[in-house]
Amino acid sequence: MTSVFAVDGSTAPRRTAIFRHTDNFLGLWTKPGSRVRHGRVTTEEQRRSGPTRILIVGGGYVGLYTALRLQEKLRRQLKRGAAERRDQHGEVPGADREPGDSGAPAAVGAAEQRDAVEIVVVSPDPYMTYQPFLPEAAAGSISPRHVVVPLRRVLPHCRLVIGEVREIDHESRTARVVTLATVETGSEAIDIPYDEIVLAPGSVSRTLPVPGLAEHGIGFKTVEEAIGLRNHVLEQLDIASSTRDPALRDAALTFVFVGGGYAGVEALAELEDMARYACRYYHNIRPEELTFLLVEASDRILPEVGSEMGAYALRELRARNIDVRLGTRLESCENRVALLDDGSRHPARTLVWTAGVKPHPVLAGTGFPLTARGRVRCTPQLRVAGVEHAWAAGDAASVPDLTAKRRAERHGEVKRGAEHESDRDGGASEGDHRSGDASERAAHRERANPATPEGTDGPPGASGTPSAPGERASRPAPSEAADASEQAELPAELPENAAAMAGEDAGARRSGEGRVTSTGRTGRAAEPAPATECAPNAQHAVRQARCLADNIAASLTGRPLSDYRHSYAGSVASLGLHKGVAHVYGRKLKGYPAWFMHRAYHLSRVPTFNRKARVLSEWVLSGLFKREIVSLGSLEHPRAEFELAAGTERRPHAS
């Protein structure tokens, strides 16, 4: 098998079966001074032969669906790779691969010799979170374990590494990975060589320097955050029920949500439903005493479903006694007091931040070409622009939207001819679309040039990067690109992305006066002017993953690659139990039909039949029985009781 080197840095080579030892569980470490030969990491003394290794960075939508598709497309090659890994005697036979223009072997003989493939998935968690179900998990409608998909079960032919990629050296084809074992032992990160790399690290929550936000804010991007928020809300009811301090009681019963996109609205609606229902079990709390506040910087909520459905959602929320502040920004939340730019102060013990995401920080250390927003520049084939053997998709990738022009022509929003180029306003965002009249063009320029301070993710209108060789280099600001594309998608959007729908900046910006905006959107028609890059949402991620896997399989066999294209479908959103809005294929639904469509769609999209059956059964049972209102806040500190007993000689009583 492959020669590897000891953790202590010694240079004495040893042969070991993969996964033979915990310290070297991968069998993939490389010796200092290694070099690349035909895309493989080799030492000067010995070339490494073996299966073609595909390294997938990230276990989210793109990572999971790419690996699933590759398992299907490369079934025979994966079996050969597994057989070679089981061989514990010497080097795997096979000749060196000759380089090809598309990353495939140049000769048929070489292709046969390097037919074996292995897939390594590096993910910080052993599961993929189906994020559209997070609001229902927070409300108790779905069990948390059914919101996640175990990677080891669904990817039996892949090798899963629980860890985080910190650096990528594509010149030497190695990725530096920090695993649980390296953290536990304090040892150095391991280097994993690869032949093909898929960048799918996803995105992380964007937090801004709002005073008090880091100390008191709660995110809504992971299943841990969703369940923690549920426990926190129920705990506030317990606090309010047991105190005689009116100030503490009011603060405990006030819940502030920042961000009026999918994440903010759906999380607010589901938790408001749950909290008001739970009040019936508290003898001294009435539902009308609860205060829910939604802060949104633009003049509308849920722009993804169109202006008419967005207005209906606004009326629905306000009819439920939810205070929706449009055109309002959060300035501070110090000392558990939410201070808004309209001068109002709201003492609140709960502040949920759903105002945006940004690309994963690991991309900055890859050396790959990035946009001003920090996303990897890609071609329509989902290859990293100008880089061989590197692919990207999802939140981390800036992928040209090849359907934008067709949508623009369908809606009459493209000015054809040379005057289109001369019509660009200095400093405004560039693109292949224009609004229909002067007022819309003015709004277009205003949206393209918001004030963005130092330290945010680049100027919103400064991402004029080339889509691919031969294509026009100009593109609109990512905020507009995401606004347009995400509205053109069915709703498996990542809640954080969907919450902002303003691309990577997700609308959370600081103005020159120090105010923080929760989103950067402006009201527009039901289907907006098309963008020239795909929005960072789950719908694109899932479809891009399928195209990406097909192109990787094609590149390994020398077949032509295909472009990624995805047309407008629609959007749906839940507003709580039995309430929702939808705009799908031109049809507008609201109330129960929209809520039913929301559930049916996501049930069809959640991976594996196992999860579909479990989620459906929980929905059926929740319709037959009452809501669960138990707070398991102690799960966040599982050793608290034991530490108390050990420190005070107090014996915990039986539960």
Side-chain angles (χ1 to χ4, degrees):
M1 208 61 185
T2 305
S3 296
V4 297
F5 295 81
V7 183
D8 57 8
S10 61
T11 57
R14 59 180 178 180
R15 299 187 184 277
T16 179
I18 296 175
F19 301 112
R20 174 69 62 85
H21 299 290
T22 303
D23 289 340
N24 189 29
F25 64 98
L26 284 175
L28 299 177
W29 295 356
T30 57
K31 179 181 178 181
S34 298
R35 64 182 178 86
V36 177
R37 180 180 179 85
H38 301 327
R40 298 293 291 186
V41 177
T42 63
T43 64
E44 294 296 336
E45 299 84 6
Q46 180 182 24
R47 290 192 302 267
R48 180 188 187 276
S49 61
T52 298
R53 180 173 299 131
I54 302 172
L55 177 64
I56 300 177
V57 180
Y61 286 95
V62 174
L64 172 63
Y65 282 98
T66 298
L68 282 172
R69 185 74 168 179
L70 287 174
Q71 282 187 158
E72 175 186 349
K73 303 286 290 186
L74 303 175
R75 186 176 300 122
R76 179 176 58 85
Q77 293 89 333
L78 287 170
K79 288 182 178 179
R80 288 177 60 93
E84 291 187 6
R85 290 200 304 270
R86 289 193 297 267
D87 184 3
Q88 301 180 9
H89 306 287
E91 293 292 335
V92 180
D96 289 338
R97 179 181 66 190
E98 295 298 329
D101 293 339
S102 63
V108 175
E112 293 176 351
Q113 293 167 350
R114 290 297 310 279
D115 192 34
V117 171
E118 61 181 353
I119 302 173
V120 177
V121 179
V122 179
S123 174
D125 299 306
Y127 54 82
M128 185 274 276
T129 302
Y130 191 73
Q131 292 175 324
F133 280 158
L134 289 183
E136 294 201 50
S141 300
I142 301 177
S143 174
R145 66 182 184 277
H146 298 158
V147 177
V148 299
V149 180
L151 296 179
R152 296 188 188 278
R153 175 182 294 178
V154 300
L155 301 177
H157 304 298
C158 300
R159 305 168 65 192
L160 180 63
V161 180
I162 304 303
E164 294 185 2
V165 174
R166 295 294 174 85
E167 297 179 13
I168 297 175
D169 185 356
H170 194 62
E171 183 178 353
S172 61
R173 301 287 197 277
T174 58
R176 176 150 294 185
V177 179
V178 174
T179 67
L180 294 177
T182 60
V183 173
E184 185 70 20
T185 61
S187 56
E188 294 184 359
I190 62 174
D191 290 338
I192 302 180
Y194 60 84
D195 293 288
E196 305 283 340
I197 187 170
V198 177
L199 294 172
S203 58
V204 297
S205 296
R206 174 191 298 279
T207 57
L208 297 178
V210 181
L213 178 61
E215 293 78 14
H216 306 301
I218 303 174
F220 200 77
K221 186 172 174 60
T222 66
V223 65
E224 294 84 0
E225 289 175 329
I227 304 309
L229 179 58
R230 167 187 169 81
N231 293 333
H232 175 82
V233 169
L234 293 174
E235 186 179 77
Q236 300 313 301
L237 298 183
D238 293 333
I239 292 174
S241 177
S242 59
T243 183
R244 294 183 178 181
D245 183 348
L248 176 59
R249 177 186 174 90
D250 290 343
L253 296 181
T254 301
F255 307 91
V256 179
F257 289 73
V258 181
Y262 276 119
V265 171
E266 290 190 334
L268 167 63
E270 292 284 355
L271 286 168
E272 184 265 349
D273 254 357
M274 180 202 70
R276 296 198 194 277
Y277 175 87
C279 287
R280 67 181 64 183
Y281 299 103
Y282 291 84
H283 68 282
N284 57 349
I285 300 179
R286 292 176 289 113
E288 53 268 23
E289 292 184 89
L290 275 61
T291 300
F292 284 86
L293 174 63
L294 177 62
V295 180
E296 167 59 41
S298 71
D299 60 354
R300 61 187 292 191
I301 62 172
L302 290 178
E304 307 84 12
V305 297
S307 58
E308 181 180 344
M309 293 294 97
Y312 167 80
L314 179 61
R315 293 194 303 271
E316 172 69 21
L317 295 180
R318 286 176 171 168
R320 290 157 59 176
N321 200 28
I322 296 175
D323 186 0
V324 182
R325 302 287 182 96
L326 299 179
T328 307
R329 302 171 178 87
L330 176 69
E331 290 193 333
S332 172
C333 54
E334 287 184 304
N335 301 319
R336 296 186 180 274
V337 176
L339 176 62
L340 307 183
D341 67 347
D342 60 5
S344 61
R345 299 173 74 256
H346 305 271
R349 293 179 56 85
T350 304
L351 176 71
V352 183
W353 182 264
T354 62
V357 296
K358 61 182 179 181
H360 199 286
V362 70
L363 300 178
T366 61
F368 294 130
L370 305 179
T371 66
R373 306 281 176 182
R375 300 170 72 190
V376 180
R377 296 180 185 176
C378 293
T379 67
Q381 296 81 29
L382 303 177
R383 271 184 162 167
V384 176
V387 182
E388 293 292 326
H389 309 293
W391 313 76
D395 287 9
S398 175
V399 181
D401 185 358
L402 301 184
T403 65
K405 184 176 181 180
R406 183 180 61 186
R407 293 199 307 272
E409 292 174 346
R410 185 172 68 241
H411 290 272
E413 294 170 342
V414 165
K415 289 186 176 181
R416 301 175 179 83
E419 70 274 14
H420 175 73
E421 294 298 330
S422 61
D423 188 46
R424 306 194 187 280
D425 184 84
S429 169
E430 295 183 350
D432 291 338
H433 61 277
R434 277 291 175 269
S435 302
D437 53 37
S439 61
E440 290 181 348
R441 286 196 296 273
H444 170 84
R445 289 192 293 270
E446 182 179 356
R447 291 194 301 271
N449 293 277
T452 303
E454 183 179 356
T456 57
D457 210 15
S463 65
T465 57
S467 300
E471 294 188 3
R472 184 170 298 163
S474 60
R475 72 172 69 228
S479 59
E480 295 172 303
D483 245 349
S485 297
E486 293 200 10
Q487 186 168 333
E489 298 302 325
L490 274 169
E493 286 82 1
L494 304 172
E496 291 282 307
N497 289 3
M501 289 305 168
E504 303 81 343
D505 63 40
R509 305 186 186 103
R510 258 196 186 281
S511 69
E513 301 169 354
R515 296 179 299 181
V516 178
T517 67
S518 61
T519 63
R521 299 184 297 274
T522 303
R524 54 179 66 98
E527 187 177 347
T532 54
E533 68 178 41
C534 297
N537 59 43
Q539 277 302 303
H540 277 299
V542 171
R543 287 161 175 76
Q544 287 172 1
R546 186 179 297 112
C547 178
L548 189 154
D550 290 344
N551 282 344
I552 291 178
S555 71
L556 295 179
T557 56
R559 292 182 286 112
L561 309 183
S562 58
D563 293 340
Y564 171 72
R565 298 175 184 272
H566 178 57
S567 300
Y568 173 83
S571 299
V572 299
S574 171
L575 299 179
L577 190 63
H578 301 159
K579 297 174 283 289
V581 291
H583 185 195
V584 182
Y585 295 114
R587 296 181 178 271
K588 300 173 183 179
L589 302 174
K590 56 187 177 182
Y592 187 89
W595 171 82
F596 182 82
M597 177 175 289
H598 174 269
R599 280 198 164 184
Y601 173 77
H602 286 304
L603 183 64
S604 70
R605 295 303 179 187
V606 66
T608 78
F609 177 79
N610 179 293
R611 285 297 179 269
K612 297 178 194 295
R614 291 178 183 272
V615 169
L616 180 60
S617 64
E618 287 197 310
W619 282 342
V620 172
L621 291 175
S622 66
L624 299 176
F625 301 100
K626 296 180 179 180
R627 281 179 180 263
E628 291 289 347
I629 59 166
V630 177
S631 170
L632 297 177
S634 59
L635 291 177
E636 301 173 18
H637 307 284
R639 298 188 67 249
E641 181 73 10
F642 180 80
E643 290 173 351
L644 177 63
T648 63
E649 298 183 358
R650 169 181 163 298
R651 297 294 183 267
H653 55 77
S655 59

